[in-house]
Amino acid sequence: MKIVVLERNSVGLDVSVNGIREYGDVTEYPNTTAVDVKEKIRDAEIIVANKAPLSAEALEEAKNVKLICEFATGFDNVDVEYCKSRGIKVANVVNYSTDAVAQHTFALCLYVLEKLHHYDRYVKSGAYAAQERFSNFDIPYTELAGKTWGIVGMGNIGKKVAGIAQAFGCKVIFYSASGNSTCTDYERVDFDTLLAESDFLSLHCPLSDKTRNLIDLDALKKMKKSAILINVARGPVVNDEALYTALSEGYIAGAGLDVTSTEPMKDSNPLSKIMDSDKLIITPHMAWASIEARQRCVSETCKNIEAFLKGENRNIVNL
């Protein structure tokens, strides 16, 4: 099989992708954009991609493609209906980054909640060494215990976060944007109740017509002024301009983001103006990217290819 890996660097150079070579003749590209994707996949039988756009137009001249594997859970870069019409199977990887994203969710939350940037700077500036008392807590912070943790998206990651939040002593509530959740382990509420009651609100939902701009200015105004918003889902679930206004005007207390409306984040994004790290922390879409998660991503992709070659449907999203 002729296999083309379009975005080898997307899983990191510290993680080997050599396992894919067991299944065919592999060509690797560090990265691929819309400009060069068509030429790179022209002779491919199996495509391994992440964000590279695999539209009908891009795929129309790739006559030999039989399988597209995502180095990811999301597959919105692929025209799955077109692929189905041609008999091209599309496979993703699932549940490989659950632990990493859940861990990062709380890293973002605690960084903002406990004003860790301020206190680290306080010590390293010499101010702590210069004081006479043993402690300093000039900016107050609260505990997670006894608070309400709200979740949008009660899939694998949402459930993992819910369990950790409970271990911290939080009450967990959630809202199902799709309306299709079957989760009965936690209290399901409507959107306005979620906004009004959550002390911490974390987003773990896919991007869809129902979730795009879900957190707009109207929603942010309905939240507690003491609330902290965490977005480790998809950037466009939150309206960045609205969040900038909410943080600037004090509608909410803080936010932790691993995703923004465009990636990389543009200088024109109003959130780039907020230099107060006690109020806002932004990380570069790396919540999913622990070493273990990236290794699992590659391993699961190999299993998807192996299953396909055996005539089995493993993680196929467009049957």
Side-chain angles (χ1 to χ4, degrees):
M1 300 294 286
K2 184 172 178 54
I3 303 172
V4 175
V5 180
L6 291 177
E7 295 151 287
R8 186 266 173 268
N9 291 2
S10 67
V11 291
L13 296 179
D14 57 330
V15 169
S16 174
V17 298
N18 287 339
I20 297 175
R21 297 187 179 278
E22 296 180 18
Y23 306 107
D25 178 20
V26 178
T27 301
E28 297 178 10
Y29 297 99
N31 191 43
T32 297
T33 65
V35 175
D36 53 3
V37 64
K38 182 182 288 190
E39 184 59 35
K40 289 178 179 178
I41 66 174
R42 189 179 301 277
D43 299 321
E45 294 174 276
I46 296 176
I47 299 170
V48 180
N50 188 314
K51 301 296 183 187
L54 295 170
S55 62
E57 193 271 335
L59 288 163
E60 63 183 359
E61 295 179 19
K63 303 298 184 182
N64 300 323
V65 177
K66 301 175 179 65
L67 174 69
I68 295 173
C69 287
E70 294 278 10
F71 264 162
T73 300
F75 47 89
D76 53 334
N77 62 312
V78 180
D79 187 333
V80 292
E81 290 304 316
Y82 172 79
C83 288
K84 186 174 183 179
S85 73
R86 277 189 49 188
I88 301 170
K89 294 182 178 180
V90 180
N92 68 345
V93 289
V94 295
N95 207 26
Y96 72 97
S97 63
T98 297
D99 290 340
V101 177
Q103 175 177 299
H104 198 69
T105 297
F106 287 91
L108 294 174
C109 178
L110 293 170
Y111 183 90
V112 176
L113 176 64
E114 297 199 1
K115 313 301 177 189
L116 296 181
H117 178 76
H118 166 76
Y119 286 114
D120 179 61
R121 187 175 51 197
Y122 182 84
V123 172
K124 291 176 179 175
S125 70
Y128 182 46
Q131 72 178 42
E132 295 181 354
R133 63 191 186 280
F134 77 95
S135 181
N136 178 62
F137 40 88
D138 56 330
I139 301 181
Y141 67 95
T142 64
E143 298 176 352
L144 290 174
K147 306 300 189 302
T148 297
W149 191 288
I151 293 174
V152 179
M154 194 56 84
N156 289 327
I157 295 172
K159 289 175 182 175
K160 184 76 175 186
V161 168
I164 297 171
Q166 275 194 326
F168 270 112
C170 292
K171 172 188 176 182
V172 175
I173 60 176
F174 78 98
Y175 166 70
S176 173
S178 68
N180 298 324
S181 176
T182 58
C183 178
T184 57
D185 296 329
Y186 306 99
E187 181 184 355
R188 181 171 168 177
V189 299
D190 60 46
F191 189 49
D192 282 350
T193 299
L194 181 88
L195 296 172
E197 294 187 3
S198 296
D199 297 292
F200 310 98
L201 176 56
S202 60
L203 310 177
H204 310 287
C205 53
L207 181 62
S208 68
D209 291 340
K210 292 182 179 180
T211 61
R212 188 179 299 275
N213 284 318
L214 180 70
I215 307 298
D216 56 12
L217 190 58
D218 182 58
L220 290 159
K221 286 182 176 180
K222 293 177 180 178
M223 294 177 67
K224 296 181 180 181
K225 290 186 180 297
S226 58
I228 294 174
L229 173 71
I230 306 296
N231 187 10
V232 290
R234 290 292 181 266
V237 175
V238 176
N239 184 295
D240 286 349
E241 290 188 4
L243 181 58
Y244 170 78
T245 299
L247 292 171
S248 300
E249 300 296 327
Y251 296 142
I252 64 172
L257 310 176
D258 186 53
V259 288
T260 52
S261 57
T262 58
E263 295 171 345
M265 179 178 173
K266 294 181 179 179
D267 291 338
S268 59
N269 190 313
L271 293 173
S272 65
K273 300 176 186 176
I274 299 179
M275 295 293 118
D276 184 356
S277 295
D278 296 323
K279 182 179 291 185
L280 173 66
I281 178 175
I282 305 175
T283 53
H285 202 150
M286 43 78 74
W288 66 277
S290 68
I291 294 172
E292 296 89 343
R294 289 182 285 118
Q295 289 172 336
R296 283 192 293 268
C297 182
V298 175
S299 175
E300 288 295 299
T301 299
C302 289
K303 291 176 183 177
N304 287 341
I305 295 173
E306 183 173 342
F308 171 79
L309 295 177
K310 290 180 178 178
E312 301 170 359
N313 292 321
R314 185 178 192 271
N315 294 329
I316 303 299
V317 301
N318 66 331
L319 288 177

